[in-house]
Amino acid sequence: MATSAPQVRSFPKVEFTDSEAGALDFPSSTSRSYNYFKPAKLRATVYEDVTVDVQPDPERHLSQGWIYGFGDGPGGYPKEWTAAKSSNWHAFLDPNEEWEQTIYRNNSAVVHQVALCLENAKRANAYGGWNTAWQKFIARNLGAWMHAENGMALHVFTSIQRSGPTNMINTAVAVNAAHKMRFAQDLALFNLDLSESLDTFDGSVHKGVWQSADEWQSTRRGVEELTAVGDWAELLFGTNIVFEQLVGQLFRSELVMQISAKNGDYITPTLVGTGEHDYNRDLAYTRSLFQLLTRDDEFGTGNKELFGHWLEKWVPRCLNAALGLQPIWSQPAEKTRTFADSFGATKEKFAQLLEEIGLDVPKELEK
């Protein structure tokens, strides 16, 4: 019986083009130019390499739209999550150039500084010379402020760190959340150290002060009202531009850091100073973002009008919180700074910030 010849199969010949994965030489392998974003300077920084376009955008790279979405409809990172508008959200670059490595490096340095300061304070019995009035002031007021910092960390910045339309915005907000959380924890550890070192220090009084002391209720209300805001840009504006300026800096910088040394306390200013340093960095990116929005060629005028409405909403509330804190200026034994002096300096800084962003100073500041 005759047998048929075996069938010969043909396959396309493999041709190497030097563009396959892993090739050492490929088209444009010797090029020093970037083809997916334009660096701010001559060469891209590490920050730009690890943040720019890491979060894709249909207007830039996703030609078929978002590749993922939510069950109720919107996909990816909807711009409708804020009423503010930009002709190019990707133009924002964090002036601090924060990314994963800098977060750990900077916070590690702060934690080391605080730990060394507290260790030296206990070894030298630095708390032994504190008078009763100052112990009470720290226990009540610095302890109460710990709750404000923790509330902003968990329910403001952590809640919106994914809401921005670009990776650069969200990274900056995430670092902001880490700053607040670390500072709140530092205040809690400081409270524990004082409780262990001083028999007369009441380390538990702060909870009742935050919940029921008259002077702190306007501040508590302000923090809680901030956490109820759904618009991520308004929440960032209301917190870093208004609340932190009129209440946060007033308490931390214009009171605690000004009067501690006169009351024999050289430890608290070091600790609180780390929180002020954090806020200065966080204010830098916030200022840069809102300057970008007010100077936008297409939407700048509308954004200014929107931010004016936000000022009308949050400035009276934060001024009320600031005025509510006035009684604590009289609590220390050494009263080296009046509330009028502290409040005046705070309002001056706030007005300067608004001018830098390009916004009108609210009439409430003139009262």
Side-chain angles (χ1 to χ4, degrees):
M1 180 178 180
T3 58
S4 60
Q7 184 179 1
V8 178
R9 297 181 180 274
S10 63
F11 296 91
K13 183 180 179 181
V14 177
E15 295 183 8
F16 294 96
T17 63
D18 290 333
S19 62
E20 65 275 5
L24 296 179
D25 297 313
F26 52 88
S28 77
S29 62
T30 59
S31 173
R32 299 294 296 169
S33 64
Y34 297 84
N35 54 15
Y36 67 98
F37 76 90
K38 182 179 180 181
K41 297 181 180 179
L42 184 62
R43 292 184 178 181
T45 64
V46 176
Y47 163 76
E48 289 174 319
D49 281 338
V50 300
T51 56
V52 175
D53 286 329
V54 170
Q55 178 180 299
D57 189 323
E59 294 184 1
R60 295 166 68 88
H61 305 297
L62 298 179
S63 59
Q64 295 181 341
W66 293 109
I67 59 177
Y68 51 86
F70 299 90
D72 58 353
Y77 295 77
K79 296 179 180 179
E80 294 74 23
W81 283 353
T82 179
K85 298 183 182 300
S86 173
S87 57
N88 180 17
W89 285 105
H90 294 265
F92 169 78
L93 296 176
D94 183 0
N96 300 318
E97 296 200 337
E98 295 278 19
W99 61 289
E100 183 178 358
Q101 187 181 91
T102 63
I103 297 172
Y104 292 114
R105 183 174 63 236
N106 294 337
N107 278 277
S108 176
V110 173
V111 169
H112 180 73
Q113 174 187 342
V114 170
L116 186 62
C117 177
L118 297 182
E119 180 182 342
N120 290 336
K122 288 192 290 185
R123 183 169 55 246
N125 191 28
Y127 308 129
W130 286 16
N131 57 58
T132 303
W134 185 247
Q135 291 184 36
K136 183 177 179 181
F137 176 87
I138 293 296
R140 290 178 58 86
N141 302 308
L142 192 61
W145 185 252
M146 171 180 64
H147 295 278
E149 294 286 343
N150 188 62
M152 288 186 283
L154 294 177
H155 304 293
V156 173
F157 298 108
T158 300
S159 69
I160 64 170
Q161 58 83 28
R162 191 252 184 241
S163 301
T166 75
N167 193 61
M168 295 81 79
I169 295 173
N170 291 338
T171 299
V173 176
V175 173
N176 202 154
H179 285 162
K180 287 297 180 187
M181 197 170 298
R182 195 217 68 246
F183 184 46
Q185 292 173 349
D186 287 344
L187 294 179
L189 293 174
F190 186 42
N191 183 275
L192 291 174
D193 273 2
L194 291 172
S195 299
E196 294 174 355
S197 302
L198 298 170
D199 294 336
T200 53
F201 185 85
D202 187 351
S204 62
V205 70
H206 60 84
K207 183 176 181 180
V209 171
W210 179 250
Q211 291 180 339
S212 59
D214 291 340
E215 63 270 23
W216 280 100
Q217 293 317 292
S218 296
T219 299
R220 178 188 172 193
R221 185 180 302 109
V223 174
E224 292 178 351
E225 288 175 344
L226 281 167
T227 65
V229 176
D231 184 310
W232 69 264
E234 180 186 352
L235 188 50
L236 183 61
F237 185 92
T239 304
N240 274 355
I241 299 296
V242 186
F243 181 84
E244 282 280 61
Q245 282 285 306
L246 293 178
V247 185
Q249 282 199 131
L250 174 68
F251 175 75
R252 292 188 305 258
S253 181
E254 299 299 333
L255 177 61
V256 177
M257 294 186 67
Q258 297 287 342
I259 68 174
S260 295
K262 289 291 185 178
N263 284 276
D265 179 6
Y266 298 91
I267 309 304
T268 302
T270 300
L271 179 63
V272 175
T274 64
E276 278 296 278
H277 174 70
D278 288 342
Y279 173 60
N280 286 335
R281 292 178 65 82
D282 296 328
L283 179 61
Y285 89 77
T286 308
R287 181 195 296 113
S288 178
L289 175 60
F290 286 105
Q291 283 177 336
L292 179 70
L293 295 176
T294 57
R295 298 171 183 176
D296 190 286
D297 292 337
E298 183 177 356
F299 299 108
T301 301
N303 285 332
K304 286 184 179 181
E305 182 178 353
L306 175 66
F307 300 159
H309 292 316
W310 290 352
L311 286 173
E312 292 174 358
K313 176 179 178 181
W314 292 108
V315 167
R317 301 181 187 188
C318 292
L319 286 176
N320 188 45
L323 293 171
L325 292 175
Q326 183 172 358
I328 70 176
W329 264 250
S330 62
Q331 293 177 4
E334 293 294 333
K335 306 173 182 63
T336 59
R337 192 168 178 82
T338 66
F339 176 79
D341 291 337
S342 298
F343 196 38
T346 297
K347 291 192 293 183
E348 183 177 347
K349 292 178 182 177
F350 180 51
Q352 181 179 350
L353 173 61
L354 294 181
E355 291 175 358
E356 291 172 352
I357 296 175
L359 300 176
D360 294 332
V361 178
K363 60 182 183 301
E364 289 88 351
L365 291 187
E366 301 174 359
K367 297 180 181 179

